[in-house]
């Protein structure tokens, strides 16, 4: 896929639809092939760093971006530990469940990986050109690009894409770093086509194991900068989409370190405190 995107006619049957970009500030259409993508409405201009298109302004940098930048450029930047999976087995388990939650899809489906990190997750789940990525860390984008992914340096809260163009948006383990969850889901819903899916995962706030571990770290004064800022339950994630055209389609409950996976149709279950991680799949309402 190229970086230009303004198609006036439908693509041939069986072809991947070209990307359509939008200004992350004002949402006006932009064309990266003209004037370096400058927005005619507000003047915003993306940058180019090596072969990465950047839609992030310097004033946006925060502590999480800095943390992942350091991890991307460190000695383990291309590994699962760089994207905060301390246990390779859990990373593999998450990949297996995302395959179930995100596939099968037609080869021509347009897919967005929001928070693509170093591309290791995309490579394992899809590894195909119909998936594009965004990440807040430029270093992570470079790692993903080296793996062959079309990665964009962008804020998931202000995606640089026109509305209604992705058949699937998936986001693995970034919710714990986001303050405004309804705003994030609203942005995902904006760029998702009617009838499309949004799949998100995070650490389970109801987990007895996680709550015990965090309490122990606090007592021992071993809190880390890598500790999640937010823990949320599946019910809280569902509630964050209450005012959006999204409905919960399925929830997968991961019980790491056990190889026990449970799927439910709703966001609540009796034994939710036994799950370490949760994956919620939304479907966007048809117009």
């Amino acid at each position: 896929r190229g970086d230009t995107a303004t198609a006036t006619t439908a693509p041939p049957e069986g072809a991947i639809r070209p990307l359509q970009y939008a200004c992350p500030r004002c949402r006006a259409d932009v064309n990266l092939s003209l004037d370096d993508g400058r927005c005619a409405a507000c003047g915003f201009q993306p940058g180019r760093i090596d072969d990465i298109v950047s839609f992030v302004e310097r004033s946006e940098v925060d502590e999480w971006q800095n943390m992942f930048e350091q991890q991307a450029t460190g000695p383990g930047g291309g590994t699962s530990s760089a994207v905060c999976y301390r246990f390779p087995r859990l990373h593999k388990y998450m990949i297996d469940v995302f395959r179930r939650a995100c596939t099968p899809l037609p080869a021509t489906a347009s897919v967005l990986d929001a928070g693509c990190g170093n591309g290791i997750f995309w490579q394992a789940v899809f590894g195909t050109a119909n998936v594009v990525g965004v990440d807040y860390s430029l270093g992570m984008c470079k790692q993903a690009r080296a793996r062959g992914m079309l990665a964009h340096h962008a804020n998931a809260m202000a995606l640089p894409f026109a509305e209604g163009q992705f058949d699937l948006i998936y986001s693995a383990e970034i919710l714990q770093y986001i303050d405004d969850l309804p705003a994030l889901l609203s942005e995902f819903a904006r760029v998702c086509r009617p009838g499309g899916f949004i799949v998100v995962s995070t650490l389970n706030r109801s987990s007895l194991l996680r709550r015990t571990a965090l309490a122990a770290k606090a007592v021992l004064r071993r809190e880390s900068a890598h500790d999640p800022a937010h823990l949320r339950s599946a019910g809280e994630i569902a509630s964050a989409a209450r005012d959006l055209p999204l409905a919960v389609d399925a929830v997968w409950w991961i019980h790491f370190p056990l190889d026990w996976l449970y799927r439910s149709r709703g966001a609540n279950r009796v034994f939710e405190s036994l799950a370490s991680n949760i994956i919620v799949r939304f479907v966007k309402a048809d117009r």
Side-chain angles (χ1 to χ4, degrees), residues 19-25 27-28 30 32 44 46 53-55 112 133-134 152-162 165-166 187 190-191:
L19 279 174
Q20 294 181 312
Y21 291 91
C23 175
R25 275 190 198 161
R27 303 289 188 263
V30 296
L32 297 188
F44 174 83
V53 181
S54 176
F55 296 89
L112 174 65
V134 298
H152 301 74
H153 185 214
N155 187 344
M157 303 289 287
L159 294 168
F161 305 112
Q165 66 174 302
F166 292 105
E187 186 65 354
R190 181 183 68 81
V191 299

Side-chain angles (χ1 to χ4, degrees), residues 85 89-101 121 173 200-204 207 209-210 251-264 269 271-280:
Y85 286 96
R89 184 178 168 205
L90 176 58
H91 191 235
K92 182 180 182 301
Y93 200 3
M94 293 291 291
I95 287 168
D96 290 342
V97 182
F98 262 84
R99 284 200 189 106
R100 300 188 191 197
F121 203 84
E173 304 296 291
V200 297
S201 74
T202 192
L203 312 179
N204 180 20
S207 168
L209 180 64
R210 291 202 182 279
V251 179
W252 285 263
W253 308 81
I254 295 174
H255 301 80
F256 183 78
L258 301 177
D259 289 330
W260 175 26
L261 179 66
Y262 181 82
R263 177 179 174 176
S264 65
R269 61 177 290 224
F271 299 110
E272 63 181 291
S273 62
L274 300 180
S276 60
N277 299 68
I278 44 180
I279 297 177
V280 181

Side-chain angles (χ1 to χ4, degrees), residues 60-102:
E60 295 182 41
V61 177
D62 64 14
E63 60 179 313
W64 296 117
Q65 188 185 41
N66 285 331
M67 182 190 81
F68 283 107
E69 200 68 40
Q70 291 173 5
Q71 294 186 187
T73 55
T79 67
S80 60
S81 63
V83 285
C84 293
Y85 286 96
R86 290 185 294 174
F87 304 101
R89 184 178 168 205
L90 176 58
H91 191 235
K92 182 180 182 301
Y93 200 3
M94 293 291 291
I95 287 168
D96 290 342
V97 182
F98 262 84
R99 284 200 189 106
R100 300 188 191 197
C102 295

